Amino acid sequence: MAYNIIFYFSDQQRWDTCGCFGQPLPITPNLDALAGEGVKFDNAFSPQPVCGPCRALFQTGKYPTETGCFRNNLMLPSGIKTLANYIEEAGYETAYVGKWHLASDGELEKAPTVDHTITAIPAELRGGYTGFWRTADVLEFTSHGYDGYVFDENNNRVDFKGYRADCINDFALEYLDQYDGKKPFFMTVSQIEPHHQNDHNHYEGPKGSKEKYANFVLPHDLEVLKGNAAEEYPDYLGQCASLDENLGRLVAKLKEKGLYENTIIIYASDHGSHFKTRNTDSHLNGYDDYKRTGHDGALHVPLVIAGGPFTGGKAIQDLVSTESLPKTILAMAGVDVGDKMIGENLLDVAEGRTEGRENQVFAQISESRIGRVVRTADFLYAVYAPGVNGGEKGASDRYADDYLYDLKKDPWQLENVVTSPDYSEAKADMRKRLLDWIEKAEGARPVIMD
């Protein structure tokens, strides 16, 4: 049986916005219902907390340092076999709606030299997707919380009116309405919510969000470290609730069309948001932002997979990385890519086939710094490259300690113990783990300076 596959992912969504991951308000009833049917991964982490690099990984199954897409404003290079290439070869038709962020190229924070940020993306820059297409390269440039435009597979501009998350979801429903069932389908729904609106520097929830979610309770890290969450969180929750309402509409359409029982739905986010509580140190190139750090606020993301073999309402405690999603999606389609993609088949983790598996995850950080992170169940350890601009280079041969957290005592990562002699043994162990990861991922073993 060939399953239909939907990859529904949000942008900048923390794991703890979801009821199934601990949010006390009724923000995500539809996702919670899927988690009750399928598998939720309680400890899922992004491998790169910046939009473009993470998307490049999702499309290639390769680290951003290998594809060259280590920061924003770098387009996906030609000559790399992509997720879409593999899955179309396997007999699937493809559809992509929403944000792409992989078709423009140039220096960071400057006008691109190859610029499709607000124009149609040429077919050769669509990563191998040849089917239904309702996409903007940088959706936050072609739209706001309400109203905007994308482009179709024939490069025609398609305007939309209404709340953006609703309208992007409408394009996904449009695809399902015209789907003829001749082939199984793989559809990506790449929502931009709950990303902040860049030109307004504000999270834009549906009208009335501030009133509807006025009784919010901030996650402890945001409460203690301040940032701008106290002002922005109600709109942020409104965005997350809108995403969930649209997930519910998508599920309803699948049921209406008789497709639900044969469709696997993956819900995830590219990375989270720390609401300007991190990245304030002088060595971080002046960034004061929402991501670009190895703390849980930026890396810990929701991940639920439901349908096909992902059943039973399981809650998986193992640490997993969303770097595994391309390989997992292809495995769902009957394609075993072996070592051509990084990561693992998450079905193995869901079904307990974890003998010999290291319970740890790795992340690359860019733009704010060149940083590397390794996380186990007990510790989080990170390094940075002193004096090197993370927007200009993707890697370094020299790093220095950035932070170490004892997650059993300090789960919200509030006390950096990287210089504490009490943790010298733990730091040495985590340092070796990190160096092993870097060597495996990047083909070189750098020096971490004492």
Side-chain angles (χ1 to χ4, degrees), residues 16-33:
D16 51 14
T17 56
C18 307
C20 54
F21 297 110
Q23 169 58 231
L25 295 176
I27 304 296
T28 59
N30 293 296
L31 181 63
D32 300 345

Side-chain angles (χ1 to χ4, degrees), residues 313-334:
K314 298 176 185 175
I316 304 301
Q317 297 304 309
D318 300 73
L319 276 67
V320 300
S321 172
T322 54
E323 72 178 30
S324 296
L325 287 177
K327 179 176 281 189
T328 301
I329 289 167
L330 288 174
M332 294 172 182

Side-chain angles (χ1 to χ4, degrees), residues 284-352:
L284 302 184
N285 301 323
Y287 272 93
D288 177 21
D289 68 351
Y290 295 101
K291 45 206 174 189
R292 300 179 177 92
T293 182
H295 298 84
D296 278 13
L299 292 189
H300 197 173
V301 293
L303 177 59
V304 172
I305 307 178
F310 290 87
T311 60
K314 298 176 185 175
I316 304 301
Q317 297 304 309
D318 300 73
L319 276 67
V320 300
S321 172
T322 54
E323 72 178 30
S324 296
L325 287 177
K327 179 176 281 189
T328 301
I329 289 167
L330 288 174
M332 294 172 182
V335 180
D336 181 0
V337 293
D339 61 3
K340 294 183 178 67
M341 288 186 173
I342 61 174
E344 59 192 334
N345 181 356
L346 292 175
L347 182 60
D348 291 336
V349 184
E351 295 189 340

Side-chain angles (χ1 to χ4, degrees), residues 233-246:
Y233 207 64
D235 275 292
Y236 185 74
L237 290 180
Q239 291 175 295
C240 294
S242 176
L243 291 174
D244 189 75
E245 291 168 7
N246 282 296

Side-chain angles (χ1 to χ4, degrees), residues 1-54:
M1 177 189 296
Y3 292 105
N4 303 311
I5 304 165
I6 295 176
F7 180 25
Y8 189 111
F9 78 95
S10 57
D11 191 332
Q12 214 161 282
Q13 184 176 10
R14 293 171 62 105
W15 86 103
D16 51 14
T17 56
C18 307
C20 54
F21 297 110
Q23 169 58 231
L25 295 176
I27 304 296
T28 59
N30 293 296
L31 181 63
D32 300 345
L34 279 183
E37 297 176 11
V39 178
K40 72 183 179 87
F41 294 85
D42 287 332
N43 293 295
F45 296 87
S46 170
Q48 226 291 4
V50 179
C51 297
C54 191

Side-chain angles (χ1 to χ4, degrees), residues 85-347:
N85 293 146
Y86 278 108
I87 210 162
E88 288 194 359
E89 283 181 4
Y92 277 69
E93 65 175 74
T94 56
Y96 195 104
V97 301
K99 176 176 174 176
W100 181 241
H101 214 77
L102 293 171
S104 300
D105 202 74
E107 295 183 49
L108 189 63
E109 306 297 343
K110 294 184 179 180
T113 52
V114 177
D115 190 357
H116 298 291
T117 53
I118 60 172
T119 59
I121 301 169
E124 65 271 17
L125 296 182
R126 297 177 191 168
Y129 290 89
T130 65
F132 186 92
W133 183 262
R134 299 290 184 275
T135 306
D137 190 34
V138 187
L139 187 57
E140 58 267 46
F141 288 7
T142 68
S143 60
H144 290 85
Y146 284 85
D147 307 338
Y149 61 91
V150 294
F151 297 89
D152 69 12
E153 58 271 12
N154 298 312
N155 297 328
N156 297 311
R157 174 170 159 162
V158 182
D159 291 275
F160 58 81
K161 296 285 288 183
Y163 191 62
R164 179 168 52 197
D166 299 341
C167 297
I168 295 303
N169 200 72
D170 285 344
F171 294 132
L173 303 185
E174 178 188 348
Y175 169 74
L176 292 176
D177 278 332
Q178 57 91 66
Y179 172 63
D180 62 14
K182 292 179 180 178
K183 295 181 177 181
F185 69 81
F186 169 57
M187 175 167 61
T188 297
V189 183
S190 174
Q191 292 273 17
I192 190 174
E193 269 64 40
H195 194 288
H196 63 288
Q197 185 61 37
N198 299 56
D199 56 346
H200 295 164
N201 195 25
H202 171 56
Y203 286 92
E204 298 188 341
K207 292 180 174 67
S209 291
K210 282 197 180 299
E211 295 76 21
K212 187 173 183 178
Y213 300 110
N215 62 335
F216 66 91
V217 177
L218 283 178
H220 187 60
D221 59 326
L222 303 183
E223 179 185 14
V224 171
L225 298 173
K226 304 304 180 185
N228 65 352
E231 177 184 353
E232 296 292 330
Y233 207 64
D235 275 292
Y236 185 74
L237 290 180
Q239 291 175 295
C240 294
S242 176
L243 291 174
D244 189 75
E245 291 168 7
N246 282 296
L247 177 65
R249 293 172 60 216
L250 191 63
V251 168
K253 178 63 72 172
L254 290 168
K255 291 179 177 178
E256 173 194 322
K257 296 291 183 179
L259 298 169
Y260 182 72
E261 297 301 324
N262 195 41
T263 300
I264 301 173
I265 301 174
I266 304 159
Y267 187 99
S269 188
D270 58 351
H271 52 75
S273 176
H274 61 74
F275 286 87
K276 299 189 175 185
T277 57
R278 310 288 186 173
N279 288 358
T280 57
D281 295 344
S282 59
H283 67 267
L284 302 184
N285 301 323
Y287 272 93
D288 177 21
D289 68 351
Y290 295 101
K291 45 206 174 189
R292 300 179 177 92
T293 182
H295 298 84
D296 278 13
L299 292 189
H300 197 173
V301 293
L303 177 59
V304 172
I305 307 178
F310 290 87
T311 60
K314 298 176 185 175
I316 304 301
Q317 297 304 309
D318 300 73
L319 276 67
V320 300
S321 172
T322 54
E323 72 178 30
S324 296
L325 287 177
K327 179 176 281 189
T328 301
I329 289 167
L330 288 174
M332 294 172 182
V335 180
D336 181 0
V337 293
D339 61 3
K340 294 183 178 67
M341 288 186 173
I342 61 174
E344 59 192 334
N345 181 356
L346 292 175
L347 182 60

